[in-house]
Amino acid sequence: MDPLLEQWQKDYKNATPKLDTAALLSQITSARKKQSIKAWFDLVAGTFVSLFCIYALIFEATSTPEQVLYAILTPLPIGFSIWAFLKRKKLIKSNILDVNALLLFKKQQLINQINYWRLNLIGCSILWAALCITAAVSVLMYNHSTIWLIQLGIGTLVLILTLTRYLYLKYHLKGKLNYIDNLE
């Protein structure tokens, strides 16, 4: 046999990660299914939240500032949902040709996840701030305190959960990326 070919085969085997590709491919397939379900759920949830904002704009807003606030907030949930849907669908449709592509898919999935939760945190923070402003105006000017305090409490809980999830993922991201790098 040709010594150059033997050296090339040896180098190729040394450069190829030694891992269970069938298990990794199974994980990727499962992740794709989950991402697809999450993508559709996000899209539907964003649509419902935007529809609720339209409902609140038409039927619940009692002042011009509330109407303006609901009008500004209406496109945000559906816009974010469409963005998340397209990102997830792009990741799902990516082609996987070899082990390195599988590992790259896993890396991209982690990076997309942290970006998703960062934008989710920013969006929740903006919505929470808008809710605080609306609640303050409603309580101070119109004496509608009970419903706004309940909504503010729920909004605060959602913001805390989103922040916790983002910080958890951010804390573990580097370790997970290093683990994938060590497999290569």
Side-chain angles (χ1 to χ4, degrees), residues 13-19 24 98-108 177-184:
K13 286 180 183 177
N14 289 337
T16 303
K18 292 172 180 45
L19 50 97
L24 186 58
D98 59 10
V99 173
N100 288 328
L102 289 171
L103 296 175
L104 184 62
F105 177 86
K106 293 289 279 182
K107 277 184 180 180
Q108 192 60 45
L177 289 175
N178 286 340
Y179 176 74
I180 291 172
D181 286 339
N182 290 335
L183 290 175
E184 292 179 352

Short mmCIF file of all heavy atoms in Angstrom, two decimals, residues 13-19 24 98-108 177-184:
data_model
loop_
_atom_site.label_atom_id
_atom_site.label_comp_id
_atom_site.label_asym_id
_atom_site.label_seq_id
_atom_site.Cartn_x
_atom_site.Cartn_y
_atom_site.Cartn_z
N LYS A 13 -8.28 9.42 10.56
CA LYS A 13 -8.84 8.73 11.73
C LYS A 13 -8.54 9.49 13.01
O LYS A 13 -9.38 9.57 13.91
CB LYS A 13 -8.31 7.30 11.82
CG LYS A 13 -8.92 6.37 10.80
CD LYS A 13 -8.36 4.98 10.94
CE LYS A 13 -8.92 4.07 9.85
NZ LYS A 13 -8.35 2.72 9.93
N ASN A 14 -7.34 10.06 13.12
CA ASN A 14 -6.98 10.83 14.31
C ASN A 14 -7.77 12.13 14.40
O ASN A 14 -8.07 12.60 15.49
CB ASN A 14 -5.48 11.13 14.33
CG ASN A 14 -4.66 9.89 14.59
OD1 ASN A 14 -5.15 8.92 15.16
ND2 ASN A 14 -3.40 9.92 14.16
N ALA A 15 -8.09 12.72 13.25
CA ALA A 15 -8.82 14.00 13.25
C ALA A 15 -10.32 13.81 13.43
O ALA A 15 -11.01 14.74 13.81
CB ALA A 15 -8.55 14.74 11.94
N THR A 16 -10.81 12.62 13.17
CA THR A 16 -12.24 12.36 13.29
C THR A 16 -12.57 12.08 14.75
O THR A 16 -11.94 11.25 15.39
CB THR A 16 -12.64 11.13 12.43
OG1 THR A 16 -12.26 11.39 11.08
CG2 THR A 16 -14.13 10.88 12.51
N PRO A 17 -13.58 12.79 15.29
CA PRO A 17 -13.95 12.56 16.69
C PRO A 17 -14.42 11.13 16.91
O PRO A 17 -15.08 10.54 16.05
CB PRO A 17 -15.11 13.53 16.91
CG PRO A 17 -15.07 14.49 15.79
CD PRO A 17 -14.37 13.82 14.66
N LYS A 18 -14.08 10.61 18.06
CA LYS A 18 -14.50 9.26 18.41
C LYS A 18 -15.71 9.38 19.33
O LYS A 18 -15.57 9.61 20.52
CB LYS A 18 -13.36 8.51 19.10
CG LYS A 18 -12.21 8.23 18.14
CD LYS A 18 -11.01 7.67 18.85
CE LYS A 18 -9.86 7.39 17.94
NZ LYS A 18 -9.52 8.38 16.97
N LEU A 19 -16.85 9.27 18.72
CA LEU A 19 -18.08 9.34 19.49
C LEU A 19 -19.15 8.50 18.81
O LEU A 19 -18.99 8.06 17.68
CB LEU A 19 -18.56 10.79 19.64
CG LEU A 19 -18.65 11.65 18.38
CD1 LEU A 19 -20.06 11.66 17.87
CD2 LEU A 19 -18.18 13.04 18.71
N LEU A 24 -25.65 10.53 18.59
CA LEU A 24 -25.65 11.96 18.31
C LEU A 24 -26.69 12.30 17.25
O LEU A 24 -27.42 13.28 17.38
CB LEU A 24 -24.25 12.41 17.86
CG LEU A 24 -24.04 13.90 17.66
CD1 LEU A 24 -24.35 14.67 18.93
CD2 LEU A 24 -22.61 14.17 17.21
N ASP A 98 -21.77 15.07 8.02
CA ASP A 98 -20.76 14.27 8.70
C ASP A 98 -20.78 14.59 10.20
O ASP A 98 -21.59 15.37 10.67
CB ASP A 98 -19.38 14.51 8.09
CG ASP A 98 -18.96 15.96 8.16
OD1 ASP A 98 -19.63 16.77 8.84
OD2 ASP A 98 -17.95 16.30 7.54
N VAL A 99 -19.86 13.97 10.92
CA VAL A 99 -19.80 14.15 12.37
C VAL A 99 -19.53 15.61 12.73
O VAL A 99 -20.15 16.15 13.65
CB VAL A 99 -18.72 13.22 12.98
CG1 VAL A 99 -18.52 13.52 14.44
CG2 VAL A 99 -19.11 11.77 12.78
N ASN A 100 -18.62 16.24 12.02
CA ASN A 100 -18.32 17.64 12.32
C ASN A 100 -19.54 18.53 12.10
O ASN A 100 -19.76 19.49 12.83
CB ASN A 100 -17.13 18.12 11.49
CG ASN A 100 -15.83 17.51 11.97
OD1 ASN A 100 -15.67 17.24 13.16
ND2 ASN A 100 -14.91 17.27 11.05
N ALA A 101 -20.35 18.21 11.09
CA ALA A 101 -21.58 18.96 10.86
C ALA A 101 -22.57 18.74 12.00
O ALA A 101 -23.29 19.66 12.39
CB ALA A 101 -22.20 18.58 9.52
N LEU A 102 -22.61 17.51 12.53
CA LEU A 102 -23.46 17.24 13.69
C LEU A 102 -23.04 18.08 14.89
O LEU A 102 -23.87 18.67 15.58
CB LEU A 102 -23.40 15.76 14.06
CG LEU A 102 -24.07 14.75 13.14
CD1 LEU A 102 -23.71 13.33 13.55
CD2 LEU A 102 -25.57 14.93 13.16
N LEU A 103 -21.73 18.14 15.11
CA LEU A 103 -21.22 18.92 16.24
C LEU A 103 -21.45 20.41 16.02
O LEU A 103 -21.80 21.14 16.96
CB LEU A 103 -19.74 18.62 16.45
CG LEU A 103 -19.43 17.17 16.87
CD1 LEU A 103 -17.92 16.95 16.92
CD2 LEU A 103 -20.07 16.83 18.19
N LEU A 104 -21.30 20.86 14.79
CA LEU A 104 -21.56 22.26 14.47
C LEU A 104 -23.04 22.59 14.68
O LEU A 104 -23.38 23.66 15.17
CB LEU A 104 -21.14 22.57 13.03
CG LEU A 104 -21.28 24.01 12.59
CD1 LEU A 104 -20.38 24.91 13.43
CD2 LEU A 104 -20.93 24.15 11.11
N PHE A 105 -23.92 21.65 14.32
CA PHE A 105 -25.35 21.81 14.56
C PHE A 105 -25.62 22.00 16.05
O PHE A 105 -26.40 22.87 16.44
CB PHE A 105 -26.12 20.61 14.02
CG PHE A 105 -27.60 20.68 14.28
CD1 PHE A 105 -28.44 21.35 13.41
CD2 PHE A 105 -28.15 20.08 15.40
CE1 PHE A 105 -29.81 21.42 13.65
CE2 PHE A 105 -29.51 20.14 15.65
CZ PHE A 105 -30.34 20.81 14.77
N LYS A 106 -24.98 21.16 16.87
CA LYS A 106 -25.17 21.27 18.32
C LYS A 106 -24.70 22.63 18.84
O LYS A 106 -25.36 23.25 19.68
CB LYS A 106 -24.43 20.14 19.05
CG LYS A 106 -24.97 18.76 18.82
CD LYS A 106 -26.29 18.53 19.49
CE LYS A 106 -26.09 18.20 20.94
NZ LYS A 106 -27.34 17.93 21.64
N LYS A 107 -23.54 23.09 18.34
CA LYS A 107 -23.03 24.41 18.74
C LYS A 107 -24.01 25.51 18.35
O LYS A 107 -24.32 26.39 19.15
CB LYS A 107 -21.69 24.69 18.07
CG LYS A 107 -20.50 24.11 18.72
CD LYS A 107 -19.27 24.60 17.96
CE LYS A 107 -18.00 24.08 18.53
NZ LYS A 107 -16.83 24.55 17.80
N GLN A 108 -24.47 25.46 17.10
CA GLN A 108 -25.38 26.49 16.61
C GLN A 108 -26.68 26.47 17.39
O GLN A 108 -27.26 27.52 17.67
CB GLN A 108 -25.64 26.30 15.11
CG GLN A 108 -26.33 27.48 14.47
CD GLN A 108 -25.52 28.75 14.58
OE1 GLN A 108 -24.33 28.77 14.34
NE2 GLN A 108 -26.18 29.83 14.96
N LEU A 177 -20.07 24.41 25.13
CA LEU A 177 -19.30 24.64 23.90
C LEU A 177 -17.91 24.02 24.00
O LEU A 177 -17.42 23.45 23.03
CB LEU A 177 -19.19 26.14 23.61
CG LEU A 177 -20.49 26.83 23.15
CD1 LEU A 177 -20.27 28.33 23.01
CD2 LEU A 177 -21.02 26.23 21.87
N ASN A 178 -17.28 24.13 25.17
CA ASN A 178 -15.97 23.48 25.36
C ASN A 178 -16.07 21.97 25.23
O ASN A 178 -15.18 21.32 24.68
CB ASN A 178 -15.38 23.86 26.72
CG ASN A 178 -14.85 25.27 26.74
OD1 ASN A 178 -14.57 25.86 25.70
ND2 ASN A 178 -14.74 25.84 27.93
N TYR A 179 -17.13 21.39 25.76
CA TYR A 179 -17.34 19.95 25.65
C TYR A 179 -17.43 19.54 24.19
O TYR A 179 -16.81 18.55 23.76
CB TYR A 179 -18.59 19.55 26.41
CG TYR A 179 -18.93 18.08 26.28
CD1 TYR A 179 -18.18 17.12 26.95
CD2 TYR A 179 -19.97 17.65 25.48
CE1 TYR A 179 -18.46 15.78 26.82
CE2 TYR A 179 -20.28 16.31 25.34
CZ TYR A 179 -19.51 15.38 26.02
OH TYR A 179 -19.80 14.06 25.89
N ILE A 180 -18.19 20.30 23.41
CA ILE A 180 -18.32 19.99 21.98
C ILE A 180 -17.00 20.17 21.29
O ILE A 180 -16.60 19.36 20.44
CB ILE A 180 -19.43 20.85 21.34
CG1 ILE A 180 -20.80 20.42 21.87
CG2 ILE A 180 -19.40 20.74 19.81
CD1 ILE A 180 -21.94 21.32 21.48
N ASP A 181 -16.26 21.24 21.63
CA ASP A 181 -14.93 21.46 21.03
C ASP A 181 -13.98 20.32 21.34
O ASP A 181 -13.17 19.93 20.50
CB ASP A 181 -14.33 22.78 21.51
CG ASP A 181 -14.99 23.99 20.87
OD1 ASP A 181 -15.60 23.82 19.79
OD2 ASP A 181 -14.88 25.09 21.44
N ASN A 182 -14.08 19.77 22.54
CA ASN A 182 -13.19 18.67 22.92
C ASN A 182 -13.53 17.37 22.19
O ASN A 182 -12.68 16.50 22.08
CB ASN A 182 -13.24 18.43 24.43
CG ASN A 182 -12.57 19.56 25.19
OD1 ASN A 182 -11.71 20.25 24.68
ND2 ASN A 182 -13.01 19.77 26.42
N LEU A 183 -14.74 17.25 21.70
CA LEU A 183 -15.12 16.07 20.92
C LEU A 183 -14.52 16.09 19.53
O LEU A 183 -14.32 15.06 18.91
CB LEU A 183 -16.64 15.97 20.80
CG LEU A 183 -17.40 15.61 22.06
CD1 LEU A 183 -18.90 15.67 21.80
CD2 LEU A 183 -17.00 14.24 22.57
N GLU A 184 -14.22 17.31 19.02
CA GLU A 184 -13.70 17.43 17.65
C GLU A 184 -12.27 16.98 17.56
O GLU A 184 -11.49 17.03 18.41
CB GLU A 184 -13.85 18.86 17.16
CG GLU A 184 -15.29 19.26 16.96
CD GLU A 184 -15.46 20.69 16.49
OE1 GLU A 184 -14.49 21.46 16.45
OE2 GLU A 184 -16.59 21.03 16.17
#
